[in-house]
């Protein structure tokens, strides 16, 4: 009995075998020469939480530049900013904020959270009162209450992180500092 074994010439040759290893060898050498990501070298000073409202983006960036933070912060934008920490419009918004804060803290070693609310906020109008922006004193008080609530929620979870609170005005060049109240006064 004469058996004929048919072999593929390209697959049985040493040349094909070596050629098939070449891409893997190149990738392996590239990966070995790549620098390992080091979180120690990627530090941010702060996590910024602002509203999604596009009208304030330029003013917020300018404000952060004046605070010497350009290129030194992580940024999260959620509708209503401080309202998001309270779970508006859905509890998943608060969960998203806490996830971002945790990642920023662990990976970029932040020391501060800056929360920027703004006047004439649609999220506040939806949740609190559609006419809220027509009463500046009440609007300031409502924002202050939610900003303070956010302050204490953050400080209770991350006692070593500083928290700064601001309300951006419609003038877009004014950022009013909101001072935190004692926890039982919020």
């Amino acid at each position: 009995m004469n058996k004929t074994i048919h072999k593929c010439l390209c697959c049985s040759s040493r040349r094909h075998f070596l050629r098939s290893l070449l891409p893997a060898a190149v990738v392996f050498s590239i990966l070995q020469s790549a620098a390992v990501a080091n979180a120690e070298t990627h530090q941010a000073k702060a996590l910024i939480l602002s509203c999604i409202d596009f009208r304030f983006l330029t003013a917020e960036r300018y404000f952060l530049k004046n605070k010497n933070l350009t290129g030194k912060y992580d940024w999260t934008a959620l509708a209503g900013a401080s309202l998001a920490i309270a779970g508006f419009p859905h509890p998943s918004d608060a969960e998203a904020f806490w996830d971002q804060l945790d990642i920023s803290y662990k990976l970029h070693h932040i020391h501060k959270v800056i929360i920027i609310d703004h006047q004439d906020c649609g999220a506040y109008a939806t949740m609190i009162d559609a006419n809220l922006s027509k009463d500046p004193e009440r609007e300031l008080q409502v924002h202050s209450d939610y900003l303070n609530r956010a302050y204490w929620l953050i400080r209770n979870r991350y006692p070593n992180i500083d928290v700064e609170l601001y309300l951006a005005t419609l003038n877009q060049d004014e950022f009013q500092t909101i001072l935190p109240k004692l926890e039982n006064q919020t």
Side-chain angles (χ1 to χ4, degrees):
M1 259 182 143
N2 207 356
K3 288 187 179 179
T4 307
I5 299 175
H6 296 283
K7 292 184 180 178
C8 175
L9 292 176
C10 67
C11 293
S12 63
S13 74
R14 214 180 331 172
R15 181 179 293 162
H16 174 73
F17 174 74
L18 292 174
R19 221 181 287 147
S20 68
L21 287 181
L22 184 60
V26 170
V27 169
F28 182 72
S29 67
I30 289 171
L31 289 176
Q32 276 193 322
S33 67
V36 176
N38 184 353
E40 293 297 320
T41 62
H42 299 292
Q43 293 188 354
K45 289 186 176 183
L47 171 70
I48 310 304
L49 172 63
S50 67
C51 185
I52 62 170
D53 194 322
F54 66 94
R55 298 176 296 167
F56 293 87
L57 289 176
T58 301
E60 288 167 348
R61 285 192 179 102
Y62 185 75
F63 172 73
L64 295 169
K65 178 183 176 185
N66 286 339
K67 292 183 72 57
N68 196 29
L69 289 174
T70 300
K72 300 174 188 170
Y73 57 84
D74 293 329
W75 198 326
T76 297
L78 296 166
S82 64
L83 278 180
I85 299 173
F88 172 81
H90 192 273
S92 62
D93 291 297
E95 187 177 327
F97 169 76
W98 293 115
D99 288 346
Q100 296 303 302
L101 176 53
D102 191 48
I103 289 168
S104 185
Y105 181 76
K106 287 178 181 174
L107 293 182
H108 298 152
H109 314 288
I110 61 160
H111 302 290
K112 183 185 299 187
V113 173
I114 298 174
I115 304 172
I116 305 172
D117 277 9
H118 65 85
Q119 288 180 328
D120 192 33
C121 180
Y124 271 84
T126 300
M127 181 168 173
I128 309 297
D129 180 357
N131 295 312
L132 184 63
S133 65
K134 294 177 181 165
D135 183 350
E137 285 182 33
R138 183 165 176 253
E139 183 179 34
L140 175 60
Q141 184 59 53
V142 170
H143 279 279
S144 294
D145 290 346
Y146 277 94
L147 284 162
N148 271 278
R149 186 175 180 185
Y151 175 92
W152 286 108
L153 287 168
I154 294 167
R155 294 287 294 160
N156 286 333
R157 284 194 190 193
Y158 294 89
N160 60 332
I161 290 182
D162 293 327
V163 180
E164 294 180 11
L165 310 172
Y166 297 95
L167 180 65
T169 67
L170 288 174
N171 295 339
Q172 296 192 14
D173 59 350
E174 296 175 21
F175 286 74
Q176 183 174 353
T177 301
I178 306 298
L179 297 174
K181 299 174 187 170
L182 295 176
E183 187 172 12
N184 58 3
Q185 290 181 333
T186 58

